[in-house]
Amino acid sequence: MKELYGDILLVASESANFGHDTFLCHQVSTVRRLGPVLGQRIALAYPVLVDEYNSFNFKLGDVLMFSVRPHLCIVFLVAQETIRPDTNIEALLKCLNSLSQYMAFFPRASILFPKGMGCVRGAAEWDSIEHLIDISFKEHLHVYKVGWSKSLR
């Protein structure tokens, strides 16, 4: 997995602007509440997505995909049951494997994961999450973890 730095929404938008199919991934819970940082920023950038997201009846292990503009898709990985710190590793692995199988149809697409996904509100360890991403997407060439700064490891 390659590393990029900056605002993940801008990185995704710039990638899509160049005509690259781009999938921005974000872990969510079954509570239907987008997280306080990236989730809220996604909701502000793409408000119509919130109504669609709230209309689904989803469960742990589900993958929700929303095309928000040409070449840009927001992917919600349902791997948390509550808003308490409880990333469900089995559910996350199911999400990642499902997404990986789907991505076989888009071999040139960029897949973006926020560095630390599932760790702040989900209390998981980034090294474990990163390992799951690596093994799930070992065949895919354009997988990126996007962090705000090189100093945040």
Side-chain angles (χ1 to χ4, degrees):
M1 181 170 21
K2 300 171 198 106
E3 280 190 74
L4 297 174
Y5 299 97
D7 180 337
I8 193 167
L9 286 177
L10 291 176
V11 170
S13 184
E14 288 173 14
S15 177
N17 286 344
F18 285 106
H20 302 292
D21 290 326
T22 304
F23 294 78
L24 189 161
C25 300
H26 179 53
Q27 180 176 307
V28 297
S29 75
T30 58
V31 178
R32 295 176 197 235
R33 231 161 108 196
L34 295 175
V37 183
L38 181 56
Q40 291 305 310
R41 294 188 57 240
I42 290 170
L44 287 171
Y46 307 105
V48 70
L49 177 138
V50 177
D51 291 335
E52 287 184 55
Y53 168 72
N54 287 328
S55 72
F56 281 91
N57 186 14
F58 48 85
K59 62 188 181 315
L60 282 175
D62 285 351
V63 176
L64 308 172
M65 300 179 129
F66 301 94
S67 180
V68 293
R69 55 174 271 216
H71 303 290
L72 181 57
C73 187
I74 304 294
V75 180
F76 290 142
L77 309 171
V78 185
Q80 206 170 325
E81 193 135 31
T82 67
I83 56 171
R84 292 189 305 273
D86 69 345
T87 293
N88 184 310
I89 297 298
E90 284 182 30
L92 180 59
L93 185 57
K94 181 180 177 190
C95 292
L96 293 172
N97 286 332
S98 295
L99 180 60
S100 176
Q101 290 173 1
Y102 179 78
M103 295 310 299
F105 296 103
F106 299 90
R108 300 177 132 200
S110 295
I111 308 164
L112 308 177
F113 292 94
K115 193 172 180 179
M117 178 184 82
C119 299
V120 177
R121 302 283 284 181
E125 295 291 327
W126 174 244
D127 289 344
S128 299
I129 302 293
E130 187 174 32
H131 177 71
L132 293 177
I133 295 168
D134 285 340
I135 61 172
S136 297
F137 291 92
K138 63 181 174 254
E139 302 298 322
H140 202 85
L141 298 177
H142 307 288
V143 180
Y144 302 92
K145 59 182 171 186
V146 182
W148 282 102
S149 135
K150 286 185 182 183
S151 64
L152 298 175
R153 173 108 178 122

